[in-house]
Amino acid sequence: MTLPLLVVTAVAAEAEAVRAGADPDNVVVEPVGVGPAAAAAGTARLLATGRYRAVVSAGIAGGFPGRAPVGSIVLGARSIAADLGAETPDGFLPVDELGFGTSVLSCDPALLKALTAELPEAIVGDVVTLSTVTGTKRTADRLAESYPQAVAEAMEGYGVAVAAAGLPFAELRAISNPVGPRDRAAWRLREAFAALSTASGQLWTACG
Ligand SMILES: O=C(O)c1cccc(C(=O)CC[C@H]2O[C@@H](n3cnc4c(=O)[nH]cnc43)[C@H](O)[C@@H]2O)c1
């Protein structure tokens, strides 16, 4: 028997968008909450059943200007906890430099390759995970400089990757807004959810 793919989203609207496109016989979609802690706890609870072959963190995201435009699809190469570390007078020190583990988790190479083949229009790059949505140009510029390969910002990927604990993991994002000065009214939710639904149609093909 072939085990299904688990897709975890933050909120119900994202789960509905994924379900609208994904193969219902082989892809299970569950909303587990906003932020890395809820994502890790919810994903770990679901994976503890042993019923899944792989896990994908999916949803909407902010796109770094010039790297991932609104409406585009992003596939994570790595999920990076960009606020896990220590602030110093000289800047931010990632947890890696403190000697407490890693803030960088790579997506499964085979799964990423298969997803890239099924979604050739997708932008492949790092996705940073933050507990706070960026709301100023200053922070956006700092993140873009600190993470030159980052194309998108979301709030769950790193948490899902930690919970995956060796099971193949990937991150799939549809860009709803640019990373930068807060303008919540300008988020293109309908466009992003439509792109997420379309991309989700390829999830099982890539995984199966
Ligand atoms: O209005 C807000 O500021 C806000 C705060 C927390 C969550 C939301 C959501 O809409 C939850 C959905 C989900 O969206 C991801 N997302 C979308 N754009 C961004 C972004 O620019 N930076 C970080 N995350 C983003 C995130 O994964 C949320 O869980 C709205």
Side-chain angles (χ1 to χ4, degrees):
M1 191 189 74
T2 309
L3 293 174
L5 170 69
L6 175 64
V7 179
V8 287
T9 69
V11 299
E14 294 171 311
E16 285 310 313
V18 175
R19 283 191 196 112
D23 173 357
D25 292 332
N26 292 304
V27 181
V28 175
V29 190
E30 295 286 352
V32 292
V34 171
T43 303
R45 177 177 55 81
L46 291 161
L47 292 183
T49 61
R51 287 191 202 137
Y52 302 102
R53 63 184 305 172
V55 60
V56 176
S57 174
I60 59 172
F64 282 98
R67 300 182 187 175
V70 168
S72 63
I73 287 291
V74 160
L75 283 169
R78 303 182 298 175
S79 299
I80 302 178
D83 56 7
L84 185 60
E87 189 183 26
T88 79
D90 299 321
F92 175 74
L93 275 184
V95 72
D96 316 53
E97 290 181 41
L98 300 172
F100 298 131
T102 180
S103 59
V104 181
L105 294 173
S106 291
C107 297
D108 181 78
L111 183 52
L112 177 58
K113 190 176 171 191
L115 284 167
T116 307
E118 296 300 328
L119 298 168
E121 78 289 2
I123 297 163
V124 180
D126 293 342
V127 180
V128 292
T129 300
L130 292 163
S131 294
T132 302
V133 176
T134 295
T136 65
K137 184 169 184 314
R138 186 176 169 186
T139 302
D141 288 348
R142 177 180 61 75
L143 288 167
E145 189 183 328
S146 302
Y147 302 98
Q149 295 175 65
V151 294
E153 167 190 295
M155 303 174 77
E156 294 81 25
Y158 179 83
V160 177
V162 169
L167 202 68
F169 159 80
E171 184 160 4
L172 171 70
R173 294 282 168 182
I175 304 303
S176 53
N177 57 281
V179 177
R182 180 169 173 77
D183 184 4
R184 184 66 169 77
W187 285 26
R188 297 279 181 267
L189 295 176
R190 202 178 313 176
E191 193 181 336
F193 287 143
L196 188 59
S197 295
T198 304
S200 297
Q202 304 307 314
L203 279 172
W204 182 249
T205 320
C207 198

